Amino acid sequence: MNEQIELQASSLTDKFPEIVSLDTRTGYTGFLVMPENLITVAQTLRDEFGYDYLSSVTGVDYLPENKMEVVYHFYRTTGGGALVLKTQVDRENPVVPSLTPLYPGAEFQEREAWDLLGIRFANHPDLRRILTWEGFYGHPLRKDWKEPFFEEETKPFKSRWPEGHVYRAEDKNPFHDNVQYPPGFDPEQWSPETDELLYAGLKRVDKSDDFLTEQVVVNLGPQHPSTHGVFRMVVVLDGETVVDLKPIMGYLHRNHEKIGERNTFLQNMPFTDRLDYVCSMSNNFGYALAVEKLMGIQPPERAEYIRVMMAELTRFLNHIFSIGFLLNDLGAFFTPMLYALEERELILDVFEAVSGSRMMCNYFRFGGVARDIPDEVMEKIRKLVLERLPRKLDEMDYFITNNEIVRGRCEGVGVLTAERAIALSASGPVLRASGVAYDVRRADPYSIYDRFEFDIPVRYNGDIYDRYLLRLDEMRQSLRILQQVMRDIPEGPIMSGKPQYQVRVPAGESYGRVEGPKGELGFYVVSNGKPNPWRYHVRAPTFINLTSLAEMCRGQKIADVVTILGSIDIVLGEVDR
Amino acid sequence: MDESLNSAGYEIPPEMQGQVAVTTLDKIYNWSRKNSLWPMMFGLACCAIEMIGTAASRFDFSRFGMEVMRPSPRQADLMIVSGTVTKKMIPQIVRLYNQMPEPRYVIAMGACASGGGPFKEGYTVVAGVDKFIPVDVYIPGCPPTPQALLHGFITLMKKIEKQSLRSVPWYQKKPGEPIPIPVLGPDLMDPRKFDLIKQVCKPIEVQANEQPEGETGHE
């Protein structure tokens, strides 16, 4: 991969000798560009170099250098490693041109960077706060911003360790609660932000016919039985047809990144479980990869096999769960779900046996996994993988695939074309159901995925039905990989070196990405050599997949919006982090 | 029928035993109420997945009479706060609680709902839903296993069994006051704490110099 980056390096710096320079800091890769030249370079990257997929946009606050850095990760959908582009701006007034006109998939990520870091993106179509609310005091991910329950910059806190004088955080706060206000603030003078700005951003259609119809704004959520958690959609309706839609998130924003930057590297592992809480094992995988890349270590053979096994079991679990939910959304209330949950419980039993917890496994470690798999559990997995799960999958296929209602409601609904899917940075089943054969396991292989024989399923219609079929196909391929793992898994150690509580991570940056069940899950970690990460960012696949929700819903009926959302398969823990 | 239900402390003549049930209003009322709790279909975060798991066939909480999950607060009498409560979500949660008809019960499921859990230090996390709405049963765990959730339900049933119509808040003479809905300002603002906020936020020099003026303002 490094050679490939070198290759790109020469051609990009040849093309722009004046404005693009190599990032020469130790442990860093990629290119630096001035903000005023960003658009030119990005346009060339997209049109001439073929980097059509903007995967991740994030900011880093380099407080000691008084700089803000925006980091872009570009990929080719034909495969290969990342091209990392960075631009640095002043901390006091950070303004960067928005890449949303070129890569519409940057929209939410730029809004997130504005919300959490205060980086302003010029020409962004809708630069509002996304995870907190309008009117929130400050930009929380800035290094000099302190939360109300602030205790120390980094963990372990001296009050807890080694002596351990525990106190309640509420007792130290003047309001006896997790709140803080600017000095001189008067709550009675405060007028809460209304949704007017939001409603003004919604499109309406001009109708010149004689019918007097009114376009109605409808709020779905945050408490709605079908929004898969606390998610809100504002929909403009013309009759029953959706004119425009805006997703509103942040109702489960639990400050994953801020807490992650206070934690030590290993302390973040259990937090990653709670990102996408349906498939905690794949989250562990991505984070472990990112930190291992920085540390330069490699897990032993057996651990690699165990990792792949867990990741593929998770994929199966997630897909069967999401198909159950999809039928729930279609109106087949809970009965298909029971079939899905039955299989899920069996896989959860395996997770509980190896990690001690059903859902929050916390199983991966840097350089291996936490525990070995006992023989009887291995036997259980073998039975599941070889007998039970393939049978149940066929059963599900038989019941659902040709069901008249499923076909009637899913075929041709919520269509996303391949070009738009790439432009909107969709990933995972959403991208592949639109006809783009892009899977990180093949495009940029990690761990030992290059050893297995499996196909990347692709479907071409880009509608809900194809997303459903694709998930079925992927489960079949997962089982195929699992069967190979069961055949080949060697004996041996499961950890390289001694298990450590505190790991030494050299300074530098790394981006570890895996093909999670929902899409490309990336972890961008910046270390400055201390026990805690300086920056810890999660590229959450469902958060970015939601960018394409409006596109899929326009022109559809309101009843289909719920199903389209179900077919994207979001988990709010990951959307809001 | 439950054995304990039919022991009101009255002597039943031997010839009528087995045909007549004598009980108190409290007992029959609590008995019927505890066996038909309708939870609200309301999931916040990770714990909601375990709640679904509890509703499914393996653990099946319909054995306890609570399979009827209602998406509308108007038809529910048990709110399971299943997950991290954030500042952006708490106004809606309080509103939902206010919309539930009495008698109503609240279960704080998991560490986050009980006290903030692993995310307590976060800047948009409410450190426990009991800062705003009264909680009947706390269930520890992150997330609690379905068994733990079932245990929480049974604990709530036991609690309901012991209630008396005379002392429960929802049969008093006056109707209960709704809980004031928090406001999103620079940070979350609890209307019950406006005075405290004003007092703490007052700039220090103003506090020192203009104390008398503040008093005249009061008059």
Side-chain angles (χ1 to χ4, degrees):
Chain A
M1 207 181 87
N2 273 337
E3 285 166 30
Q4 208 171 358
I5 287 175
E6 292 303 313
L7 210 85
Q8 295 146 6
S10 53
S11 50
L12 192 66
T13 38
D14 283 350
K15 177 96 185 164
F16 300 107
E18 313 272 284
I19 53 180
V20 175
S21 60
L22 267 175
D23 193 347
T24 47
R25 292 170 287 181
T26 41
Y28 285 73
T29 51
F31 305 95
L32 284 169
V33 63
M34 294 300 284
E36 56 267 26
N37 302 323
L38 181 68
I39 297 273
T40 332
V41 177
Q43 184 124 34
T44 318
L45 275 181
R46 189 188 69 172
D47 297 340
E48 289 176 30
F49 288 70
Y51 284 91
D52 47 356
Y53 189 80
L54 175 57
S55 165
S56 152
V57 181
T58 187
V60 189
D61 179 9
Y62 287 104
L63 181 65
E65 289 112 73
N66 204 24
K67 282 264 189 292
M68 280 278 185
E69 190 175 276
V70 186
V71 185
Y72 301 88
H73 283 82
F74 294 92
Y75 289 97
R76 289 184 175 123
T77 41
T78 46
L83 191 142
V84 191
L85 203 61
K86 293 160 196 173
T87 180
Q88 291 192 334
V89 276
D90 187 46
R91 242 183 127 257
E92 302 312 315
N93 185 26
V95 184
V96 178
S98 167
L99 282 192
T100 310
L102 281 176
Y103 294 92
E107 182 182 347
F108 285 179
Q109 305 189 61
E110 287 183 342
R111 274 177 72 186
E112 187 196 321
W114 153 244
D115 186 0
L116 300 183
L117 283 152
I119 301 168
R120 209 176 272 284
F121 290 89
N123 290 330
H124 189 283
D126 187 20
L127 197 64
R128 288 178 296 116
R129 287 190 182 252
I130 188 164
L131 295 180
T132 62
W133 56 90
E134 287 298 326
F136 186 81
Y137 181 54
H139 298 285
L141 275 187
R142 289 188 165 221
K143 285 287 173 185
D144 49 1
W145 193 91
K146 298 201 168 39
E147 58 267 41
F149 279 172
F150 174 76
E151 195 175 328
E152 260 175 71
E153 282 295 339
T154 53
K155 284 179 187 170
F157 296 147
K158 288 190 188 67
S159 66
R160 318 275 174 92
W161 190 82
E163 259 117 70
H165 304 291
V166 177
Y167 64 89
R168 289 180 75 234
E170 280 91 338
D171 296 339
K172 283 208 172 170
N173 186 293
F175 305 101
H176 311 296
D177 205 348
N178 189 6
V179 289
Q180 63 186 2
Y181 306 97
F185 173 70
D186 184 356
E188 272 151 28
Q189 302 296 317
W190 176 264
S191 55
E193 204 68 35
T194 58
D195 283 336
E196 235 140 76
L197 202 66
L198 164 75
Y199 294 157
L202 288 161
K203 284 192 200 87
R204 317 279 161 128
V205 278
D206 274 329
K207 298 229 292 191
S208 48
D209 52 18
D210 295 336
F211 293 113
L212 283 174
T213 52
E214 198 181 347
Q215 289 169 30
V216 193
V217 177
V218 177
N219 277 283
L220 290 166
Q223 145 65 6
H224 189 276
S226 62
T227 49
H228 297 240
V230 281
F231 177 68
R232 179 174 158 209
M233 290 177 280
V234 184
V235 191
V236 182
L237 290 178
D238 176 28
E240 257 193 278
T241 312
V242 177
V243 176
D244 199 8
L245 178 143
K246 257 186 209 287
I248 294 150
M249 48 276 255
Y251 292 98
L252 193 58
H253 178 46
R254 330 189 248 198
N255 328 130
H256 190 82
E257 292 177 9
K258 186 80 178 176
I259 295 175
E261 284 164 21
R262 300 241 186 276
N263 281 346
T264 62
F265 279 97
L266 188 59
Q267 276 174 336
N268 271 340
M269 194 58 93
F271 278 89
T272 59
D273 289 336
R274 285 152 182 85
L275 273 174
D276 175 354
Y277 36 73
V278 179
C279 25
S280 57
M281 290 281 197
S282 341
N283 303 341
N284 285 183
F285 204 167
Y287 180 57
L289 277 186
V291 178
E292 277 163 10
K293 217 188 252 180
L294 269 179
M295 292 165 73
I297 53 173
Q298 198 78 37
E301 278 292 280
R302 187 174 170 81
E304 293 271 32
Y305 274 93
I306 292 177
R307 282 178 171 197
V308 170
M309 183 198 290
M310 290 306 154
E312 294 307 317
L313 277 176
T314 308
R315 194 182 315 277
F316 189 92
L317 179 153
N318 176 73
H319 284 355
I320 204 161
F321 198 63
S322 85
I323 289 175
F325 256 118
L326 180 71
L327 281 148
N328 226 6
D329 292 339
L330 283 171
F333 185 69
F334 221 64
T335 308
M337 196 72 215
L338 293 177
Y339 283 82
L341 284 171
E342 199 184 345
E343 307 317 307
R344 181 176 176 263
E345 289 290 337
L346 294 174
I347 299 177
L348 288 190
D349 281 348
V350 170
F351 288 173
E352 193 173 10
V354 298
S355 75
S357 175
R358 279 159 55 87
M359 273 172 69
M360 305 307 176
C361 300
N362 186 17
Y363 184 54
F364 287 39
R365 294 289 178 273
F366 308 129
V369 291
R371 289 169 204 85
D372 204 348
I373 302 183
D375 286 341
E376 59 268 27
V377 180
M378 215 54 156
E379 204 44 51
K380 205 171 176 177
I381 301 174
R382 185 165 286 128
K383 275 207 182 112
L384 269 182
V385 167
L386 294 175
E387 291 162 28
R388 171 138 187 152
L389 295 182
R391 198 175 72 228
K392 288 288 163 180
L393 192 58
D394 289 342
E395 185 185 278
M396 203 151 198
D397 190 1
Y398 174 73
F399 281 143
I400 301 171
T401 306
N402 282 317
N403 180 299
E404 207 172 314
I405 301 172
V406 171
R407 294 192 73 146
R409 288 217 41 203
C410 295
E411 279 179 334
V413 177
V415 175
L416 189 69
T417 59
E419 297 80 48
R420 291 302 291 167
I422 293 171
L424 290 162
S425 303
S427 59
V430 178
L431 182 67
R432 287 191 290 274
S434 292
V436 184
Y438 184 74
D439 187 311
V440 183
R441 289 176 294 173
R442 268 287 152 74
D444 186 12
Y446 54 94
S447 190
I448 49 167
Y449 273 107
D450 45 358
R451 294 186 201 173
F452 299 111
E453 219 174 273
F454 65 101
D455 299 324
I456 304 296
V458 194
R459 298 269 168 175
Y460 296 94
N461 295 324
D463 55 3
I464 301 178
Y465 191 63
D466 269 14
R467 271 168 232 143
Y468 154 74
L469 287 177
L470 189 100
R471 292 207 168 93
L472 275 186
D473 297 345
E474 279 199 0
M475 283 197 274
R476 293 228 160 79
Q477 297 303 327
S478 282
L479 288 177
R480 214 170 136 196
I481 297 176
L482 279 166
Q483 283 156 5
Q484 293 171 50
V485 170
M486 296 314 293
R487 189 190 64 205
D488 297 344
I489 185 165
E491 290 295 320
I494 48 151
M495 211 38 205
S496 69
K498 247 188 8 228
Q500 281 171 306
Y501 180 66
Q502 193 92 279
V503 289
R504 283 251 151 263
V505 181
E509 58 162 13
S510 86
Y511 184 68
R513 57 175 192 155
V514 292
E515 184 67 36
K518 297 188 165 68
E520 180 193 328
L521 175 70
F523 287 84
Y524 179 69
V525 181
V526 177
S527 162
N528 58 353
K530 301 255 171 60
N532 313 73
W534 178 258
R535 180 80 175 98
Y536 166 69
H537 172 72
V538 186
R539 187 245 188 235
T542 48
F543 173 67
I544 297 160
N545 283 356
L546 276 176
T547 321
S548 48
L549 178 68
E551 183 120 348
M552 292 182 203
C553 289
R554 274 185 211 122
Q556 307 288 342
K557 298 277 183 274
I558 177 78
D560 293 330
V561 170
V562 168
T563 326
I564 294 171
L565 184 72
S567 76
I568 299 181
D569 187 17
I570 62 165
V571 160
L572 265 296
E574 187 177 70
V575 173
D576 295 341
R577 280 152 291 148
Chain B
M1 207 185 259
D2 215 309
E3 201 48 47
S4 63
L5 190 65
N6 197 1
S7 51
Y10 293 98
E11 194 75 25
I12 302 175
E15 68 270 20
M16 295 184 77
Q17 272 175 8
Q19 297 167 41
V20 172
V22 180
T23 186
T24 62
L25 187 58
D26 269 349
K27 273 189 182 165
I28 188 86
Y29 180 86
N30 288 342
W31 173 78
S32 51
R33 173 148 294 287
K34 77 166 200 207
N35 285 309
S36 67
L37 282 170
W38 286 12
M40 186 156 71
M41 195 195 266
F42 171 62
L44 288 177
C46 335
C47 290
I49 305 290
E50 281 298 58
M51 191 168 75
I52 295 167
T54 318
S57 38
R58 189 183 196 180
F59 298 99
D60 193 14
F61 63 25
S62 62
R63 291 178 289 158
F64 303 92
M66 40 181 82
E67 77 275 29
V68 197
M69 287 192 115
R70 302 272 92 179
S72 162
R74 304 281 186 199
Q75 301 168 338
D77 43 17
L78 168 64
M79 180 193 250
I80 306 169
V81 185
S82 53
T84 316
V85 181
T86 62
K87 289 175 183 171
K88 208 168 169 178
M89 194 59 198
I90 188 74
Q92 278 82 336
I93 294 176
V94 172
R95 199 170 281 141
L96 285 169
Y97 179 77
N98 285 340
Q99 285 172 350
M100 280 166 68
E102 289 170 330
R104 55 191 170 192
Y105 305 96
V106 178
I107 285 181
M109 181 184 179
C112 293
S114 305
F119 300 99
K120 180 172 179 174
E121 61 194 287
Y123 48 89
T124 62
V125 174
V126 174
V129 75
D130 57 357
K131 293 254 184 336
F132 291 90
I133 60 176
V135 174
D136 292 283
V137 176
Y138 298 88
I139 306 174
C142 188
T145 55
Q147 291 93 330
L149 181 59
L150 287 178
H151 180 256
F153 284 145
I154 294 167
T155 312
L156 179 66
M157 288 167 139
K158 283 187 183 149
K159 180 177 175 170
I160 294 172
E161 221 167 56
K162 293 205 179 69
Q163 285 186 324
S164 159
L165 287 177
R166 221 175 291 168
S167 60
V168 286
W170 36 81
Y171 293 121
Q172 304 304 315
K173 278 185 182 152
K174 274 194 210 157
E177 287 286 313
I179 293 169
I181 291 163
V183 187
L184 288 176
D187 208 327
L188 190 73
M189 301 187 289
D190 188 346
R192 295 169 295 190
K193 285 188 179 168
F194 271 10
D195 287 338
L196 176 72
I197 296 172
K198 260 197 275 185
Q199 208 184 339
V200 178
C201 289
K202 205 185 270 181
I204 296 150
E205 62 268 41
V206 179
Q207 222 165 8
N209 299 338
E210 299 177 15
Q211 202 108 40
E213 207 185 306
E215 274 179 22
T216 50
H218 248 286
E219 287 164 13

